[in-house]
Amino acid sequence: MTHLIISAHPSDKSFSNYLAKALRQQYELLGWKVIWRNLYEKDFSVVLSPADLEALKSGTVPADIEAEQKLMQEADLISVVYPLWWASFPAVLKGYIDRVLTNGFAFKYGRGGATGLLTDKRVILHTTMGNTVEEYDDKGLIEAFRTIQGQEVFGFCGMQIIGHHFYPQITLADEKQREHYLQKALNSYPEIFARI
C-alpha cells in the first residue's frame, strides 16, 4: 500500500508540516510505502506554462508532470495538508493541481460532460485556519470549502473524499493544542477506514 502526502506550507515549524511528518511516520510503521511531497522543498514548477499547455493539448505530457502523475497513480491513499489562505489553497498547491490533475489523466470530457478517471483513489484533506470554525460556518463557508476544495477538485477527478478536517486558530495554538489536533487527525484514519 502506498500513501502519498502532499503538503503546502513554507514554514518547517507549521502545524501542516508537523502533521505531514507524523502521518509519514505512522504509515511507515504500518509498513506502507510513504511518499511525502512538500511542495516548498521540491523543484517541481507549479506554474502551468504556455509550452506545458500546448504539449498537453497535443497529447504529450512534460516529463516532470508525468513523474508526479505516476506518484499519484501509485497511491492508494492521498493526504493533502495545507493552510487556508484567502479562502483558498496556497498558490503552490493550486499550481500543482493545475499541472498534475490534467485532462486525459485525472478526467476526460465526453458528450455528457466530464468524467473523473482516478476512481480508485481515496483522499483525506487537512485544512489549517486562522479563524474559528464557527466564524466560517456562520457564513456557510465550511461547506463551501468542502465543496470547492474537495468535491470540485478531487471529487471532479473521480476520487473518493473520505475525510476533510479543519484545524481552527492554528496560529494561536500552543503545544498542547497542537498535540491534541495531531492525535485527533492521526486517530481519524482508522476510524474513517472502518466506515468504508
Side-chain angles (χ1 to χ4, degrees), residues 20 49 99 176:
S49 70
R99 290 194 78 216
K176 183 177 179 182

Side-chain angles (χ1 to χ4, degrees), residues 45 47-57 60 62 64-65 99:
S45 172
V47 176
L48 182 66
S49 70
D52 290 336
L53 191 57
E54 286 305 310
L56 291 165
K57 285 183 175 181
T60 303
D64 62 337
I65 295 176
R99 290 194 78 216

Side-chain angles (χ1 to χ4, degrees), residues 1-3 24-34:
M1 301 289 280
T2 299
H3 187 173
R24 180 180 65 186
Q25 292 171 340
Q26 175 171 284
Y27 275 81
E28 284 177 344
L29 287 173
L30 291 172
W32 286 46
K33 177 180 178 180
V34 180

Side-chain angles (χ1 to χ4, degrees), residues 60-124:
T60 303
V61 181
D64 62 337
I65 295 176
E66 185 177 29
E68 296 299 321
Q69 290 177 342
K70 284 181 178 177
L71 293 178
M72 202 163 279
Q73 282 176 323
E74 183 183 343
D76 299 288
L77 173 64
I78 301 168
S79 292
V80 187
V81 188
Y82 60 96
L84 184 71
W85 285 353
W86 298 108
S88 188
F89 297 124
V92 294
L93 179 54
K94 178 60 168 66
Y96 182 88
I97 289 166
D98 287 347
R99 290 194 78 216
V100 176
L101 298 181
T102 59
N103 185 7
F105 166 71
F107 61 92
K108 66 178 179 181
Y109 287 109
R111 291 186 182 212
T115 302
L117 300 177
L118 301 176
T119 55
D120 62 335
K121 306 302 170 199
R122 293 176 176 164
V123 180
I124 300 177

